[in-house]
Amino acid sequence: MHVDLLIRNVRLATLSTKVDAPYGTIDEGLLAVKDGTIAWVGAASEAPRFDSKVELDGAKAWLTPGLIDCHTHLVFAGNRADEFEKRLQGVSYEQIAKKGGGILSTVRATRAASEEELLSSALVRLARLQGEGVTTVEIKSGYGLDEETELRMLRVARELERRVPVTISTTFLGAHALPPEFENNDDYIDFICETILPKLGKEKLCDAVDVFCEGIGFSLEQSGKVFEKACALGLPIKAHAEQLSDLGGAALVAQYRGLSADHLEYLKAEDVAVLKKANAVAVLLPAAFYFLNEKQVPPIQALRDAKVPMAVATDCNPGSAPIASLLTAMNQSCVLFGLTPEEALTGVTRHAAQALNLANQKGVLEAGKDADLVLWEINHPNELSYGINLTKPSRIWFGGNDVSRS
Ligand code: NIG
Ligand code: FE
């Protein structure tokens, strides 16, 4: 068989459920790429004969799927280092938000920034993620809160995909905070549903719709209204749920057959089964937990027992998670939340793909999937969760193209 790229002599962490071994490991592996997708993957001893334009001896390094950061707010202007200082003097994240700081301070900076400014600052953060082997990134709007800026953020997110060899999945998070032009949440939610969402649906600027279902965000009823409209437009939904308190946002996601419920520190036991039943992903964001110095850990053991798919993401944003390192988030998920390194790696590959509705294309090394691949000179995939800034990929392929130096 004629292929474009043949990688021999590698250890494969396929993360595939079809391979019955930890990490879906195939020790003496071989992987062939044709037309940007994985044409064949498996044990070298079982491989058919290939002739290839390009061949690589992996020298027993480990090959994993490209990593997927399934929850970020990567496009924004400014930073919130001043609030970081205030918090260290004893003012809480919620108090800062109530005084018009927090998300609204980033909204002011983002509204004032041009498309070029937003693009160039996001490119810096995206390059950091990409350099760690991240080949798919979800990016939310939500620092505009008016039609013009929300659309600008989403356009910038789409443009990033043209500039960097990564897949970008965009999410509309209009229901992130109440903008100053509106007196109450209900009027703003009506504006989102009647004005912005129909426009986004038409222009295909977002792949999903998110809400901040929280005391300092939007109520269950308001979140439900947004979901109702998103579903009518055929857009999948997800939510920031149970981050600082338990409003029941995760169960609402389940009710609307959403892709994921994210954060979940305050998720109650009975809602774990509800998530499982709806096959929704629990997206864990340990960097936000770390940076806000939270104390309540998500119910990991209950999620694990119920076999709810758990993903791990950076939540990269200026307020609660100023971090552009998915490998660090993996480490934090293990140290702070008690995930195993295998759960952490599954959380940034197979389960992260599911959280973005991309499970058919990405997240595992299986024939037919996109050839987004990362080669690591490590002795075991647990090293990806173990060190902080110790491990970097030695090669990265995006859609079968070597993009190691992009
Ligand atoms: O995921 N919780 C809401 N949104 C972000 C934080 C946004 C901000 O503080 O700017 C989060 O933590
Ligand atoms: Fe977030």
Side-chain angles (χ1 to χ4, degrees), residues 5-227:
L5 167 68
L6 195 60
I7 308 174
R8 296 184 182 281
N9 195 23
V10 276
R11 293 190 269 181
L12 303 168
T14 67
L15 280 308
S16 168
T17 52
K18 295 173 190 163
V19 181
D20 186 19
Y23 299 88
T25 294
I26 298 171
D27 253 325
E28 288 174 21
L30 181 145
L31 185 139
V33 176
K34 193 173 166 59
D35 299 330
T37 58
I38 300 172
W40 195 91
V41 56
S45 59
E46 292 163 18
R49 283 185 69 85
F50 288 107
D51 78 278
S52 176
K53 289 181 202 145
V54 185
E55 267 202 47
L56 179 90
D57 180 347
K60 301 224 169 347
W62 281 86
L63 194 70
T64 68
L67 307 186
I68 299 172
D69 193 348
C70 69
H71 179 141
T72 87
H73 308 248
L74 195 91
V75 174
F76 61 83
N79 73 48
R80 306 234 291 273
D82 54 338
E83 290 179 9
F84 177 54
E85 273 203 297
K86 274 199 196 114
R87 282 202 293 109
L88 287 164
Q89 286 152 9
V91 192
S92 78
Y93 181 70
E94 279 153 305
Q95 283 165 340
I96 290 167
K98 280 186 191 137
K99 285 200 178 128
I103 294 171
L104 286 183
S105 93
T106 301
V107 169
R108 287 188 286 276
T110 304
R111 284 182 177 183
S114 68
E115 206 154 316
E116 290 67 37
E117 286 164 340
L118 289 177
L119 189 65
S120 61
S121 67
L123 276 167
V124 175
R125 296 183 277 272
L126 186 57
R128 301 275 156 83
L129 293 176
Q130 196 267 341
E132 281 192 339
V134 174
T135 51
T136 301
V137 180
E138 184 260 16
I139 299 177
K140 299 174 198 299
S141 69
Y143 290 127
L145 312 183
D146 61 21
E147 186 178 324
E148 189 199 326
T149 320
E150 285 293 302
L151 264 64
R152 192 187 321 145
M153 290 184 73
L154 292 168
R155 264 190 259 113
V156 167
R158 287 275 193 243
E159 178 62 23
L160 289 169
E161 189 171 48
R162 292 187 268 274
R163 306 282 183 110
V164 183
V166 295
T167 296
I168 301 286
S169 178
T170 59
T171 302
F172 172 61
L173 177 58
H176 197 194
L178 182 67
E181 300 74 35
F182 285 82
E183 299 241 312
N184 64 69
N185 279 3
D186 289 319
D187 290 350
Y188 179 55
I189 291 290
D190 286 346
F191 169 70
I192 287 178
C193 293
E194 283 153 30
T195 308
I196 307 192
L197 266 174
K199 195 159 228 168
L200 291 175
K202 233 186 256 156
E203 294 190 22
K204 303 237 175 306
L205 269 176
C206 71
D207 303 312
V209 174
D210 196 343
V211 299
F212 185 25
C213 185
E214 187 58 66
I216 56 167
F218 295 87
S219 70
L220 211 51
E221 202 191 336
Q222 290 154 354
S223 303
K225 266 193 170 173
V226 175
F227 288 172

Side-chain angles (χ1 to χ4, degrees), residues 284 286-287 312-314 323 325-334 344 348:
L284 306 171
V312 175
T314 60
I323 172 176
S325 169
L326 189 56
L327 293 175
T328 304
M330 289 166 69
N331 174 274
Q332 291 172 328
S333 77
C334 295
V348 298

